[in-house]
Amino acid sequence: MSTPIVELRSITKRFGDFVAVDDVTLAIAGGEFLTLLGASGSGKTTTLRMIAGFEQPTAGEIWMDGQPIHALPPYKRHVNTVFQNYALFPHMSVWDNVAYGLRMRHVAKPEVAERVDAALAMVHLETLGGRIPRQLSGGQQQRVALARALVNRPKVLLLDEPLGALDLKLRKEMQLELKHLQTQVGITFVYVTHDQEEALTMSDRIALMRAGRIEQLGTPREIYERPATRYAADFIGETNLLPARVRAAAPGRLTLEIEGQGLEVPAPSSPVTPGQEVWLSVRPEIMTMVDGSPPAGHNSLEGTVEEGIYAGSLTRLRLRLPGGGALVLHLAPTGTARSAGAHARVAWPADRGVCLVA
Amino acid sequence: MTARPLPAPDARLTWLDRLRARPRARTALAAALPVGWVTLFLFLPYLLLLIHSFWRLDEHQTIVHQWTLASYRRLFTTDVYPATILFSARIALSVTLLSLVLAFPLAYLLAFKVRRYKNLMYMAVIIPLWVSYLVRAYAWKIILGQEGILNGLLAQLGLIHEPLEFLLYSKWAVIIALTHIYTPFTLMPIYAVLEAIPPSLKEASQDLYAGRFQTFLHVILPLSLPGVLAGSTFAFVLSMGDFIAPQLLGGNDSGLMVSNLVVSLFGVAYNWPLGAAVSVVMLALVVTLLTVANRLEERFNYRGKRGRAAKTDALAAVVTESRA
Amino acid sequence: MTPSGRRDWLSRGLWLVGIAVFVFIYAPLLVVVLYSFHKSRIIAWPLQLGTLSWYGVLWHDRGMVAAVVASLKLALLAVVIALGVGVPGAFLLDRYDFPGKALFQRLVLLPLILPGIITGVSLLTFFTFIGLPLSAGFPLVPGWPVVLGHGTALVSVVVTQVFARLQRLDRYQEEASMDLYADAWRTFWHVTLPNIRTALLGAALLVFTLSLDEIAVTFFLIGRQNTLPLQIWGLLRRGITPEVNAISTIIFVVSVGVIVVWARLMHDPQGAKA
């Protein structure tokens, strides 16, 4: 990465005894859409607030564009935030809300007018400038908050779960709109959310956070298809985590013992020793039902069908394995129906199973 | 959108910005005026009153700055003082009970039976609180006097042949006047608490076969206790502290309540240490009562944190519209 | 009796009691107002309506007019002091933690909770102790002790009102303002202040009204010049004249006006119901 636009260098944040952010180092590239993904308490919001300036790191430094900014108050950072509850000023009109930052920067009046009108047009709210926030719907308020931040052309835009209050359909629309906006405007977006689907849809890179640390950093594809830990595999999407024991290790390949059978899987990044306990992550959608022997390059397991739950675009089938564990797979609507108690065999491409050590 | 960038904000720090990063200095600055003022004009005066109660008056009518319990001894051994305190407490108790009896039904009506104009009606009940206290006390002189309205009406109706003398210049006049004045005070917290009871509770009770009276007894009444306690506490404390109604309406036998004692000891009967001692005793009584009431309120506060917030708001409201 | 019959009886009884209490609360006031138009000097039954002469007497009563002026001065100064100390006090309680905060909070509320005369005599002993005479500052102010004492006693009112509003403020708005390049002072001016404005006005109005009617503290601290309530009190102790009815009626009308304004302020949709 050429000079990253934002650099977090070993930042830690403590609230009394509680460590919210634990020695996090992260480099954010200019123009990228980076998502901080995690459950509540994972430290993602605190990290965002430290970039904005609302919290001071207990330790570590924050650099932006080659300058240290961790000692600067929020109003001196070239960063803007879109808040979760929008935080629009109720006593000002939409137009005045959007103009606020520019006016505080003493931008000349005609230029303010020009930029505000353009910002409102960008979020398709040109006609609502005279309204006050109370008169707007949730989605409209959200767009005002966006315009109010973007009009200032910050180096980085911080978004704190901005879509949380919207209903599902609107949320999905806004996800696409935000992504397009970001590409169009070219500003770095740092986005916080707990919704992994949202993160997968919108981000260039995802930093999965857990207990104040970055669990895994990578592109959506990398995190989804090559999770580094069980937590990562389980948090994003659905997966089956099969307990296994290492039988034999060879360069690039492992033989695992699962359910009494030997399965060959790609080796994980960290070295393993024979006899070590590991897990195999197999996503439900990569499995298919087979009759007879599985095709080459596939691993397979057999079990008894327990139940199938219809979910519209797919059916979730649960298989009880002889060793006591269970497997969940997704059946396409056109798949053959399986009745409870029937014996079944599933198979998946061996390369797509992920062996996890932690 | 205009692609022209905007320059970055000026990164130089002013002294104000630096202050922001030093929380202790900011706190000190923010606290200076309020804490300083309150210490000087509230803390010190109350402290001084306490100290005065431990001094005494000598033969030359000067206050002797020596630690002594003489004033307290005098207070507790001279009959008139404990007797007056007890008398005041009895009057305050009567006022409290009467106000409760009057306020509760009206509060109940407002909270549950009035649909439209509820706010307006509530305001109407509260308005008298804002009218001068003196006016309200003095009105009873007109009503209860020998040639007053009540006597006049009763005579005209042929119910009596001679004016009732016991009405004015008696403890009844004081009690009636104080009840009239403080009933809205008692009503406010009760109304606030009743208002906060969700209608679904009443409905649930009736769904479970309880009649209206039983619903009232088992559901509404217990839930109204914090408000009742708050209201009674204030009626009691305010009545104890009243010195105008007794003087105006109490006459010779009922004109002396605790506060009148204090007034005279700081005035014509010049004995500040003794007056301070009486005040301290009154203060101790009030604080004890408030603490007990507080504990009780917490015990009977079934609605938890939200209920407490409602009660505190009501308290704040009552208290801000208080006393002469 | 059928259940519905009994229900009506209970309901009607309740309404009757309620209305009776309501009348009990208002009737005395009405009496005072009506008797301000009473034709005779002696206030007795029956009522003889039909004269405005008592208002005339009021107008020419120099002592009363001076008392009104003094009360107004005192009330204005009380508002200044109460706001000046109370608003910072409310912010202090809302946003800062410091050793002794609980004590400060209790202390600030004391004048509201305790009977007024306790605060009054405390302040009297204080000013005597430091040697400030009760008439100091007269005729500019009704007396510094009464101004200072009065204002201080009413600080509590401002603190409770403003604190309650501050607690309801959306903290994120202030962060948003700072995020948009406004420093602490400009954030206060453009964002915080407009949102607490109605609470400030309401508190000021409340302090003003309470000050006009204040008796207990004023009684002990007043110097040479009486305030309105004390002037009326003096008249009352000497014997009733209908003039008292007249001034009382005026006070009643003004008070109702004030409370209507206050109620409007408190239900301002901008700040939501206070």
Side-chain angles (χ1 to χ4, degrees):
Chain A
M1 197 187 290
S2 52
T3 319
I5 194 145
V6 172
E7 250 193 282
L8 305 175
R9 297 183 183 173
S10 294
I11 54 170
T12 302
K13 179 65 184 174
R14 270 190 216 103
F15 294 105
D17 284 333
F18 175 62
V19 184
V21 177
D22 193 356
D23 197 23
V24 165
T25 299
L26 180 64
I28 305 177
E32 83 166 312
F33 194 120
L34 176 88
T35 298
L36 300 176
L37 173 67
S40 334
S42 55
K44 57 191 194 298
T45 303
T46 312
T47 308
L48 195 79
R49 286 167 63 80
M50 282 196 278
I51 302 178
F54 303 125
E55 308 279 2
Q56 303 299 317
T58 318
E61 300 179 340
I62 305 181
W63 288 64
M64 185 175 306
D65 234 3
Q67 301 294 320
I69 62 167
H70 42 273
L72 293 179
Y75 43 91
K76 293 219 179 269
R77 302 190 191 192
H78 207 175
V79 163
N80 289 116
T81 308
V82 178
F83 291 81
Q84 191 169 2
N85 71 342
Y86 318 136
L88 298 180
F89 305 129
H91 55 291
M92 297 184 199
S93 68
V94 163
W95 209 95
D96 287 327
N97 261 283
V98 177
Y100 190 82
L102 296 173
R103 287 185 176 145
M104 289 299 136
R105 301 280 314 279
H106 304 296
V107 172
K109 264 200 189 164
E111 193 180 336
V112 170
E114 188 192 332
R115 288 183 184 267
V116 170
D117 287 334
L120 285 175
M122 184 178 64
V123 293
H124 313 300
L125 290 178
E126 309 95 316
T127 53
L128 298 180
R131 303 262 179 98
I132 58 173
R134 205 169 25 117
Q135 298 169 314
L136 302 178
S137 72
Q140 290 168 330
Q141 288 183 15
Q142 204 264 357
R143 281 187 269 159
V144 175
L146 199 55
R148 182 176 74 172
L150 279 176
V151 77
N152 302 286
R153 308 293 274 137
K155 291 211 182 111
V156 180
L157 184 67
L158 307 173
L159 302 102
D160 186 2
E161 306 204 50
L163 306 181
L166 304 176
D167 61 69
L168 190 61
K169 199 143 193 283
L170 194 54
R171 194 153 68 223
K172 293 216 178 283
E173 280 174 26
M174 282 307 298
Q175 284 169 9
L176 288 179
E177 258 197 61
L178 273 178
K179 181 65 183 171
H180 291 153
L181 202 59
Q182 192 261 342
T183 327
Q184 185 188 332
V185 161
I187 292 182
T188 311
F189 274 31
V190 179
Y191 192 93
V192 160
T193 183
H194 61 271
D195 183 342
Q196 38 95 12
E197 220 186 288
E198 197 166 83
L200 288 174
T201 318
M202 303 171 76
S203 330
D204 292 329
R205 282 196 304 162
I206 300 177
L208 176 64
M209 292 192 70
R210 177 194 186 196
R213 291 171 170 262
I214 297 185
E215 183 91 346
Q216 187 172 356
L217 175 67
T219 65
R221 185 174 283 264
E222 281 167 14
I223 295 198
Y224 189 80
E225 295 184 1
R226 297 261 158 259
T229 62
R230 271 186 305 153
Y231 184 84
D234 195 35
F235 191 93
I236 307 212
E238 291 176 56
T239 191
N240 295 289
L241 290 171
L242 300 166
R245 194 180 292 274
V246 178
R247 251 194 209 165
R253 301 206 75 73
L254 284 185
T255 312
L256 297 180
E257 176 168 329
I258 302 180
E259 296 279 323
Q261 304 172 41
L263 301 175
E264 274 204 16
V265 299
S269 37
S270 31
V272 292
T273 51
Q276 183 174 347
E277 285 183 356
V278 296
W279 288 266
L280 184 69
S281 164
V282 183
R283 300 244 180 233
E285 68 271 10
I286 64 173
M287 292 190 276
T288 46
M289 300 284 245
V290 290
D291 307 297
S293 40
H298 278 58
N299 285 327
S300 79
L301 287 173
E302 48 186 349
T304 329
V305 173
E306 218 171 49
E307 68 175 341
I309 301 179
Y310 177 71
S313 55
L314 51 85
T315 299
R316 275 193 189 80
L317 204 69
R318 206 221 300 289
L319 221 61
R320 180 61 56 185
L321 300 172
L327 264 186
V328 175
L329 65 143
H330 291 172
L331 278 186
T334 52
T336 355
R338 305 286 164 136
S339 38
H343 174 269
R345 176 177 282 274
V346 296
W348 68 90
D351 285 349
R352 297 184 67 186
V354 182
C355 176
L356 299 169
V357 173
Chain B
M1 173 169 170
T2 322
R4 285 171 307 161
L6 280 168
D10 178 4
R12 286 170 307 178
L13 296 174
T14 65
W15 72 271
L16 210 60
D17 300 323
R18 259 180 267 271
L19 189 63
R20 221 183 147 259
R22 302 184 55 223
R24 291 232 295 264
R26 268 166 66 207
T27 310
L29 202 64
L33 178 62
V35 174
W37 185 282
V38 164
T39 306
L40 187 61
F41 292 112
L42 272 186
F43 182 66
L44 284 182
Y46 287 132
L47 190 63
L48 214 51
L49 184 72
L50 187 65
I51 294 178
H52 265 82
S53 73
F54 289 110
W55 288 341
R56 64 179 173 82
L57 203 65
D58 70 7
E59 323 76 53
H60 307 291
Q61 297 289 298
T62 37
I63 303 175
V64 178
H65 295 197
Q66 257 182 346
W67 296 106
T68 169
L69 288 175
S71 299
Y72 284 102
R73 235 178 288 140
R74 181 124 171 246
L75 202 171
F76 288 117
T77 53
T78 319
D79 274 341
V80 66
Y81 301 116
T84 310
I85 295 180
L86 273 166
F87 177 68
S88 309
R90 283 212 302 273
I91 298 232
L93 195 62
S94 310
V95 171
T96 306
L97 290 172
L98 264 177
S99 311
L100 267 180
V101 166
L102 293 180
F104 202 102
L106 189 52
Y108 188 93
L109 255 181
L110 280 177
F112 295 121
K113 297 284 182 186
V114 174
R115 301 292 146 134
R116 302 161 156 219
Y117 310 124
K118 191 188 272 210
N119 273 329
L120 207 65
M121 293 307 301
Y122 179 68
M123 277 281 123
V125 172
I126 298 305
I127 282 182
L129 277 181
W130 291 60
V131 178
S132 168
Y133 166 94
L134 271 181
V135 173
R136 289 184 284 151
Y138 150 70
W140 287 97
K141 224 169 163 148
I142 306 181
I143 298 180
L144 297 175
Q146 287 201 335
E147 296 171 3
I149 299 183
L150 197 57
N151 272 323
L153 256 176
L154 292 176
Q156 245 183 332
L157 290 173
L159 288 171
I160 55 172
H161 301 290
E162 272 175 17
L164 297 170
E165 278 183 22
F166 70 87
L167 285 179
L168 193 50
Y169 304 124
S170 69
K171 75 174 183 200
W172 295 113
V174 176
I175 293 178
I176 293 179
L178 287 178
T179 307
H180 159 75
I181 293 174
Y182 294 128
T183 297
F185 270 113
T186 315
L187 188 145
M188 286 175 69
I190 298 182
Y191 173 77
V193 168
L194 287 178
E195 254 274 289
I197 298 180
S200 50
L201 283 184
K202 258 180 129 185
E203 289 167 7
S205 168
Q206 289 172 336
D207 180 75
L208 295 165
Y209 317 111
R212 279 190 321 164
F213 185 67
Q214 286 182 306
T215 301
F216 174 76
L217 197 61
H218 295 289
V219 177
I220 311 268
L221 196 57
L223 287 178
S224 72
L225 278 181
V228 167
L229 278 168
S232 347
T233 311
F234 276 94
F236 192 89
V237 170
L238 291 168
S239 304
M240 278 283 277
D242 200 89
F243 67 97
I244 298 204
Q247 257 189 296
L248 209 48
L249 305 161
N252 281 327
D253 8 280
S254 302
L256 202 64
M257 283 178 44
V258 152
S259 308
N260 304 97
L261 275 181
V262 174
V263 167
S264 99
L265 284 170
F266 273 88
V268 277
Y270 190 84
N271 187 341
W272 285 23
L274 187 55
V278 175
S279 304
V280 169
V281 169
M282 188 172 25
L283 197 153
L285 275 167
V286 167
V287 168
T288 312
L289 184 69
L290 286 174
T291 318
V292 168
N294 228 359
R295 292 283 161 75
L296 281 176
E297 273 173 76
E298 274 172 30
R299 233 195 110 226
F300 289 118
N301 191 350
Y302 303 110
R303 306 227 42 231
K305 211 145 184 258
R306 241 186 73 217
R308 197 176 301 149
K311 189 214 73 184
T312 317
D313 280 335
L315 209 75
V318 175
V319 139
T320 53
E321 268 148 63
S322 76
R323 34 152 294 262
Chain C
M1 222 185 288
T2 65
S4 60
R6 264 179 98 201
R7 166 167 298 134
D8 277 334
W9 177 83
L10 205 60
S11 233
R12 282 216 195 105
L14 191 63
W15 274 98
L16 216 66
V17 171
I19 294 180
V21 174
F22 196 80
V23 168
F24 177 64
I25 294 178
Y26 265 97
L29 292 171
L30 222 58
V31 164
V32 170
V33 171
L34 288 174
Y35 269 84
S36 71
F37 303 109
H38 185 58
K39 281 209 185 119
S40 150
R41 176 166 202 85
I42 303 174
I43 303 207
W45 179 262
L47 172 66
Q48 293 164 339
L49 280 178
T51 176
L52 285 175
S53 58
W54 306 116
Y55 291 90
V57 172
L58 204 58
W59 186 249
H60 291 107
D61 184 344
R62 289 252 199 88
M64 189 69 80
V65 173
V68 170
V69 170
S71 275
L72 287 172
K73 267 196 224 169
L74 185 57
L76 275 170
L77 288 169
V79 169
V80 169
I81 294 179
L83 284 179
V85 177
V87 173
F91 273 89
L92 184 67
L93 285 176
D94 184 53
R95 295 172 185 211
Y96 295 92
D97 260 324
F98 53 96
K101 179 175 176 176
L103 178 62
F104 174 73
Q105 208 161 358
R106 299 248 172 77
L107 203 57
V108 164
L109 285 181
L110 271 183
L112 282 181
I113 302 178
L114 296 178
I117 69 167
I118 296 186
T119 307
V121 296
S122 303
L123 286 165
L124 179 62
T125 58
F126 174 73
F127 286 117
T128 312
F129 194 74
I130 66 171
L132 187 65
L134 293 184
S135 296
F138 185 79
L140 180 64
V141 294
W144 284 118
V146 75
V147 167
L148 291 170
H150 220 150
T152 307
L154 291 169
V155 163
S156 339
V157 171
V158 173
V159 169
T160 39
Q161 297 273 304
V162 176
F163 178 77
R165 176 63 73 87
L166 282 176
Q167 292 263 291
R168 261 186 286 254
L169 273 190
D170 177 5
R171 215 38 64 86
Y172 290 116
Q173 275 181 45
E174 295 182 354
E175 283 188 355
S177 171
M178 291 209 277
D179 182 76
L180 293 165
Y181 315 108
D183 62 20
W185 172 244
R186 296 168 90 189
T187 298
F188 175 76
W189 185 254
H190 290 282
V191 175
T192 315
L193 202 57
N195 277 310
I196 62 172
R197 202 178 40 204
T198 52
L200 286 182
L201 284 174
L205 210 53
L206 201 49
V207 169
F208 191 81
T209 318
L210 288 174
S211 164
L212 286 179
D213 190 36
E214 217 289 324
I215 299 179
V217 172
T218 321
F219 181 81
F220 291 99
L221 296 178
I222 200 69
R224 243 175 286 161
Q225 171 63 54
N226 266 344
T227 57
L228 186 58
L230 291 181
Q231 184 81 355
I232 300 181
W233 175 231
L235 273 184
L236 284 177
R237 292 166 71 182
R238 272 177 264 142
I240 302 182
T241 63
E243 187 190 348
V244 175
N245 289 36
I247 185 76
S248 303
T249 306
I250 295 180
I251 293 177
F252 177 54
V253 170
V254 170
S255 306
V256 174
V258 166
I259 194 183
V260 167
V261 173
W262 188 76
R264 277 296 198 68
L265 274 179
M266 288 296 110
H267 283 74
D268 180 351
Q270 174 242 325
K273 187 159 179 225

